Amino acid sequence: MKRYVVREYNLPQLNDENESYFPAIGIGVRDSTTNIILPSPLSNFIKTNYRNKGKSLSSQRNSAYAVTRFLNYVDDNVKSGDEEFKSLRIEGLSGLSLIHGSKYISSLSMRSRKQQLNSKYISNQIHYLIDFYFWLKKQTIIKDDFELSYKNINRGDYSYSVPSNPFDDIELGTIFPRQSEHTGKALSDFGRNRYHLTVKLINIARMIEPEIALGVCFQFFGGLRRSEVINLTLNSIKHQDKTLILEVRDNQELLFKDVKNSAHLQVKNPRNQLLLINDLMNEIYQSHLQNINYLVKENKINNKHALFISKRSGNPLTGKQYYSKFMKVKKALLSQLSQEESTQDYLLLSENCWSTHIGRGVFTNFLLDIGLNVTQVAIARGDKNINSSLAYVDERTAIATMGIAINSIREAYQETNKTLIQKEHIEYWKDVK
């Protein structure tokens, strides 16, 4: 097995008096069996583009590492049997094309959006990769047909030209890093895939943070704020016909009387909140109650009123704890979307800011999807800022039309693998100490 590596060596430098040496950077190929490093002709890229142009040793070294990382990425994909890299198995380096560089840049950019790599670092790697492709093309080493075009950069009194980015092509679909880590806007909805993404998020919560899975349901299927979720008690859930109604109240005295900072605990709008009831939420609700009963039986609860409890401390979950758990679920969702190569959903959710409050926005769009008008949505959300005349709107009309959204949620849920979820959920609660 071979790996491309960076080599440092000394080159002789002749002058009138005596012979001396200066350091140089090159590219080599290491044989993993013998550990012998053989020089590669690709070292000529470093020599031509950097050393002969008087570039520093650091510039030579950085470009060499960038190239070897890319070449090893290509080799790994050839060995894995990736269809896009299949031609390289026969043609070798001459079969290299823009799509291979595009996929490499996209893979780095996806890692940047998961905050594993700095976007400035990736921009530098792209710069070196462009130089490398231009050199390969000029040397007729690769056959890929792309234009060696340049663009002018003006810097006051002087200007210079740099190679244009051949990977910035709509046909390639290259994903580039964000220019700034803070350019994303606040996201209030999951977009057109909101049903499937909501189900996916909740199922991930069931697996890795089951203590808040029911709360996430209440946020996305009832529009509750984080503080409203954690203020719910066991007596806050009321059954009416086939519907669940939440009595959203400020229960700080009952649940959090020993908590000094109440900034994350305040209920903004006490109300009775209707839910978009569905099979997924019903299952999680029943499991949640069973887990509460288990903790009570094991004498692991310090507050008999709380609906949401930390299995570690036995105390009611605070707003900060809920937020922390939700962000872990969010991170897992982004990771799963990345692995599934759900590019559009991943970019939407990774490039924009969102946390627990997005559930209220998604719930609002569920209601709009089923045709509720603005007045009905305001009532279903429990909004206070409406005219007094809105109090006369028939709430039963809004409740009846929720059936369409319920069917959509059910269909999305039925497409998931429930067996694995239930197994992981059971194992989580078994190891309560």
Side-chain angles (χ1 to χ4, degrees):
M1 181 178 177
K2 69 176 183 179
R3 299 299 285 177
Y4 288 94
V5 296
V6 175
R7 300 170 61 239
E8 285 199 38
Y9 55 95
N10 292 321
L11 284 176
Q13 178 174 288
L14 298 175
N15 54 39
D16 294 336
E17 297 180 359
N18 52 28
E19 187 178 61
S20 60
Y21 296 87
F22 67 93
I25 302 294
I27 295 173
V29 179
R30 173 187 282 128
D31 187 316
S32 60
T33 305
T34 63
N35 209 32
I36 294 175
I37 298 176
L38 298 175
S40 167
L42 295 177
S43 293
N44 286 324
F45 164 66
I46 308 300
K47 177 182 177 181
T48 303
N49 280 41
Y50 296 91
R51 188 167 73 236
N52 288 356
K53 292 182 178 180
K55 298 293 180 69
S56 68
L57 191 67
S58 176
S59 294
Q60 296 176 46
R61 185 184 293 112
N62 290 340
S63 62
Y65 274 112
V67 169
T68 55
R69 277 190 285 264
F70 167 64
L71 293 174
N72 287 327
Y73 166 85
V74 170
D75 266 3
D76 289 341
N77 281 276
V78 170
K79 292 184 181 82
S80 70
D82 190 307
E83 278 297 316
E84 296 282 7
F85 295 79
K86 191 174 181 180
S87 61
L88 294 169
R89 186 182 294 274
I90 300 172
E91 299 180 51
L93 195 61
S94 64
L96 199 65
S97 66
L98 290 179
I99 189 61
H100 304 124
S102 172
K103 286 178 72 69
Y104 178 62
I105 293 170
S106 296
S107 70
L108 294 179
S109 299
M110 296 289 265
R111 291 178 63 190
S112 171
R113 287 176 168 86
K114 289 190 284 187
Q115 299 181 341
Q116 295 176 352
L117 293 176
N118 184 281
S119 58
K120 185 177 180 180
Y121 162 81
I122 298 174
S123 296
N124 288 334
Q125 301 305 295
I126 294 172
H127 166 73
Y128 293 127
L129 193 61
I130 293 171
D131 281 349
F132 183 54
Y133 263 81
F134 270 52
W135 180 81
L136 291 172
K137 182 70 173 176
K138 289 177 181 178
Q139 302 299 315
T140 64
I141 294 174
I142 59 176
K143 299 174 291 186
D144 200 6
D145 186 22
F146 63 91
E147 184 181 358
L148 297 177
S149 61
Y150 295 80
K151 59 182 179 180
N152 289 323
I153 305 294
N154 294 312
R155 289 288 184 268
D157 295 334
Y158 71 97
S159 64
Y160 58 96
S161 63
V162 297
S164 298
N165 187 350
F167 306 107
D168 189 7
D169 186 326
I170 192 170
E171 295 295 328
L172 294 172
T174 311
I175 300 170
F176 290 100
R178 292 180 300 204
Q179 295 302 308
S180 169
E181 299 297 329
H182 305 287
T183 55
K185 62 182 180 179
L187 196 65
S188 59
D189 181 39
F190 280 163
R192 62 183 181 181
N193 288 333
R194 65 181 62 91
Y195 290 98
H196 291 282
L197 289 172
T198 295
V199 169
K200 192 181 292 286
L201 180 77
I202 292 172
N203 280 332
I204 290 173
R206 294 179 77 179
M207 289 188 283
I208 68 174
E209 293 292 348
E211 293 153 315
I212 68 164
L214 183 61
V216 177
C217 287
F218 290 163
Q219 293 196 277
F220 283 79
F221 301 139
L224 268 66
R225 302 171 179 86
R226 181 200 341 167
S227 59
E228 294 169 346
V229 170
I230 61 173
N231 267 279
L232 294 173
T233 68
L234 288 168
N235 293 325
S236 296
I237 303 177
K238 305 298 180 184
H239 297 264
Q240 182 175 312
D241 297 327
K242 296 182 179 180
T243 303
L244 289 180
I245 298 176
L246 302 178
E247 291 185 348
V248 180
R249 303 290 186 272
D250 192 318
N251 291 311
Q252 290 187 67
E253 284 297 316
L254 197 61
L255 302 174
F256 307 108
K257 60 182 178 180
D258 296 327
V259 178
K260 294 180 180 179
N261 185 358
S262 62
H264 301 283
L265 305 174
Q266 298 171 357
V267 171
K268 183 176 181 179
N269 182 21
R271 64 191 182 280
N272 289 350
Q273 178 64 54
L274 288 163
L275 298 171
L276 284 169
I277 194 71
N278 58 81
D279 293 341
L280 173 60
M281 186 167 63
N282 280 337
E283 283 189 16
I284 293 177
Y285 173 56
Q286 295 301 325
S287 295
H288 190 90
L289 292 184
Q290 290 173 9
N291 294 326
I292 293 291
N293 290 334
Y294 172 80
L295 294 177
V296 169
K297 182 180 177 181
E298 297 294 317
N299 197 28
K300 296 182 181 296
I301 286 183
N302 300 325
N303 189 307
K304 63 181 180 180
H305 303 288
L307 180 61
F308 295 97
I309 298 168
S310 167
K311 74 165 188 175
R312 179 176 298 178
S313 67
N315 295 322
L317 278 178
T318 65
K320 288 184 178 180
Q321 290 171 327
Y322 186 95
Y323 174 82
S324 176
K325 290 177 179 295
F326 185 91
M327 296 308 284
K328 289 180 183 178
V329 174
K330 172 186 174 180
K331 183 177 180 180
L333 172 65
L334 293 177
S335 177
Q336 185 169 331
L337 291 175
S338 175
Q339 292 171 9
E340 294 172 354
E341 296 186 356
S342 301
T343 306
Q344 295 304 316
D345 288 333
Y346 178 80
L347 293 179
L348 173 68
L349 300 188
S350 64
E351 289 187 338
N352 298 287
C353 305
W354 59 279
S355 63
T356 60
H357 198 71
I358 198 172
R360 189 163 171 81
V362 172
F363 174 67
T364 301
N365 280 282
F366 282 162
L367 301 178
L368 293 172
D369 283 347
I370 60 177
L372 269 65
N373 60 40
V374 176
T375 300
Q376 292 169 327
V377 169
I379 292 172
R381 280 167 45 100
D383 288 335
K384 289 175 65 176
N385 299 323
I386 55 176
N387 296 329
S388 57
S389 60
L390 298 181
Y392 297 97
V393 175
D394 187 358
E395 292 187 40
R396 287 174 296 179
T397 303
I399 296 171
T401 53
M402 285 185 178
I404 302 173
I406 291 170
N407 289 335
S408 296
I409 296 165
R410 181 183 296 114
E411 290 172 5
Y413 171 56
Q414 287 173 348
E415 292 180 11
T416 62
N417 186 341
K418 296 191 291 182
T419 305
L420 177 60
I421 292 165
Q422 291 169 351
K423 179 181 177 183
E424 294 286 346
H425 187 62
I426 292 167
E427 292 299 321
Y428 179 92
W429 287 99
K430 272 185 179 178
D431 64 345
V432 176
K433 305 297 181 184

